[in-house]
Amino acid sequence: MKKNIGDFVLIKESKKPGLIISKVEDRLLISIHEYKGDYIFVDYNNTEYIDIEPEEKLSILANFGHWFYDQHKELYHEILIENINNNLN
């Protein structure tokens, strides 16, 4: 499965799913829980896509540093909208 910006993936460096922030050639820049949302570069092949519920996505982001929202408003808003839509259905 193709991994895109905004997807959550599992990596061995983190206990919780991380959020893909950007792609640089064959590497992914991922925000992880252990760094309070700060980044780690991981080879594309060393990640596993994970399908998680919108509430869990929002919970993960809520544990990132306060700076994360300012830096990644668009991704944060997408997840908020996904939660709203999920609760309306």
Side-chain angles (χ1 to χ4, degrees):
M1 171 172 239
K2 188 174 181 183
K3 300 162 200 150
N4 299 303
I5 294 170
D7 286 344
F8 282 81
V9 292
L10 296 174
I11 60 172
K12 67 179 180 182
E13 294 86 357
S14 181
K15 296 179 211 169
K16 294 189 177 190
L19 176 64
I20 299 174
I21 299 297
S22 70
K23 296 178 181 182
V24 180
E25 295 177 11
D26 61 343
R27 302 185 81 193
L28 299 173
L29 185 64
I30 300 173
S31 288
I32 63 171
H33 172 79
E34 286 78 3
Y35 297 165
K36 298 202 182 312
D38 211 350
Y39 317 109
I40 185 171
F41 266 111
V42 180
D43 289 335
Y44 185 90
N45 293 330
N46 291 335
T47 63
E48 178 184 343
Y49 173 81
I50 184 168
D51 187 23
I52 58 177
E53 294 296 321
E55 301 86 26
E56 186 176 354
K57 293 177 184 180
L58 194 55
S59 175
I60 291 168
L61 296 187
N63 287 296
F64 288 175
H66 296 292
W67 61 272
F68 186 86
Y69 177 79
D70 289 333
Q71 295 293 316
H72 303 289
K73 286 179 185 167
E74 288 182 23
L75 290 173
Y76 212 105
H77 288 171
E78 286 178 22
I79 293 170
L80 286 171
I81 291 168
E82 184 180 2
N83 272 271
I84 291 167
N85 288 336
N86 192 49
N87 287 324
L88 291 176
N89 294 328

